[in-house]
Amino acid sequence: MLLSWPRFGLPEQTQVQVPDSKSMSCAGSQAGLQLGQELQASVAGRMSTLCPGAGQGGLQGQSLGAGRDSDALVSRQCPSSSVHSPWSLPRWRAYVAAAVLCYINLLNYMNWFIIAGVLLDIQKFFHISDSNAGLLQTVFIGCLLLSAPVFGYLGDRHSRKATLSFGILLWSGAGLSGSFISPQYSWLFFLSRGVVGTGTASYSTIAPTVLADLFVKDQRTRVLAVFYIFIPVGSGLGYVLGSAVTKLMGNWRWALRIMPCLEVVALILLILLVPDPPRGAAERQGEVTVRALRSSWCEDVRYLGRNWSFVWSTLGVTAMAFVTGALGFWAPKFLFEARVVHGLQLPCFQEPCSSWDSLIFGTLTVVTGIVGVILGAEAARRYKKVNPRAEPLICASSLLATAPCLYLALVLAPSTLVASYVFLALGELLLSCNWAVVADILLSVVVPRCRGTAEALQITVGHILGDAGSPYLTGLISSALRARRPDSYLQRFLSLQQSFLCCAFAVVLGGGCFLLTALHLERDQAQARQPGTGTLDSKDVDSNDRET
């Protein structure tokens, strides 16, 4: 009589020849049973030695064919030490963590643009010209882009929660100390802004990867849309907070002293409520999986360099960063000088200067940011059901439509201020449509193991070629044009206006980059979804050999 039992972890069946009772005596049957029990006990002992934690339950319902197969069975059945238990999180906990990360993102971008809200007062206090004032933002962005690859590397290999906590402490401490610097040490104020940029790099690099490991598919798109709403909202509130506190307290320094109080609350919430999920946890959906492939940083960079969807979308983001950096830093002053030219505002001779333009521009940024991000995310979600290339096509369309809006806002400012505001708001609305969409593109075309590195590289390239230099370049062109013209308020305004025109050309280039992204999107998404994409480094190979 033949009996078959399934062998654990193997597709084949183990067959054991058991003699019939008619052809075997009772004594022989007992001897055979005793032999089988001895073999089972022997294998159980080997598993307990080779596989700590493997008990008798691991052998229940299993059968052994012959003694010579016991070694092979042990080696096959021995669970690898790298097998992880299922990771799961209650849905409400995931949404609470997302809410905390959104709040910190709000504070993050308030720090980016709070200086722009009080720029005129800072220029008067430290005696800074236009070209050097633009250097303030360049130092901030320069330090951010230099530290982003470091935080990307740490975020892919170490505790993301600890790295985020360190970044919050760093930027809040530097921001607070910058409010106590005296006028003769203006270089120290520039340095403090650089340290703030270093701290914010940790959050901009790592936080989206945490959200990507908590949510998947449509849920991820919606959560990222809410998360990236706080880029324009935080930017706008940075203007509003800076100008409102300056107007209320009569001193711009208090704007920098209020922020650390909000950031301490953010740090406590991060430590208590935000988990650090395993990389790729959302894609695995709680299944038991073997240790993910691990590669070196250089291998990750080579992989991203061959990922054309990532490359072209990064260049498109760079064009967006160039425009938003220049507008975000100089638009309040541009609107102030436009009102001076129209006779609606007196020039600023001493601080505190009028802050109405910062309040107006900040409000526009908040409103258009909320509406734009929601519109862009919903359009991408719905259009994606019809066209799999919907995301880069929406980004390209919005950027190509932004160019004429910005151009008309600049050209019409000397003649009609209302039309200039309308087209400026429309341009900001179209730009905001892309924030959540570009993040979703990156997370869908890059494998989970190197998303932190991908975020870091995109931030680095975007800032090096984008908003790290655009504020300084705009101020430099404005100063060069003013040097060749009569010293009047009209000529100052026209110089700043004409220096802004390069933004309209940069945004057209960004639209072209997203059109090229659409050509490679489907192929790169398919490769990112393949299990085991990537290569093991030498440490992983050695580890596998030792485990075997």
Side-chain angles (χ1 to χ4, degrees), residues 27 42 54 104 106 123 131 234 247 252 288 304 322 341 344 346 371 441 495 506 530:
S42 174
I104 303 175
L106 175 74
Q123 284 186 274
S131 59
K247 190 176 183 64
W252 63 270
V288 180
L304 293 172
F322 184 94
V341 170
L344 303 175
L346 292 174
V371 176
I441 291 174
S495 300
Q530 291 177 359

Side-chain angles (χ1 to χ4, degrees), residues 181-195:
I181 297 173
S182 56
Q184 60 267 30
Y185 296 106
S186 60
W187 63 270
L188 200 55
F189 185 75
F190 280 77
L191 181 61
S192 71
R193 291 303 298 167
V195 177

Side-chain angles (χ1 to χ4, degrees), residues 389-461:
R389 301 177 179 180
E391 293 164 326
L393 292 177
I394 287 175
C395 292
S397 302
S398 62
L399 288 184
L400 293 175
T402 301
C405 292
L406 289 181
Y407 181 79
L408 291 173
L410 296 172
V411 171
L412 294 176
S415 56
T416 167
L417 199 56
V418 176
S420 179
Y421 273 106
V422 170
F423 282 108
L424 182 61
L426 188 57
E428 284 201 289
L429 176 68
L430 292 169
L431 276 175
S432 299
C433 289
N434 296 340
W435 288 119
V437 182
V438 296
D440 213 3
I441 291 174
L442 182 146
L443 296 173
S444 67
V445 301
V446 175
V447 294
R449 65 175 172 82
C450 60
R451 282 174 179 163
T453 301
E455 289 279 357
L457 286 179
Q458 190 169 90
I459 288 172
T460 301
V461 174

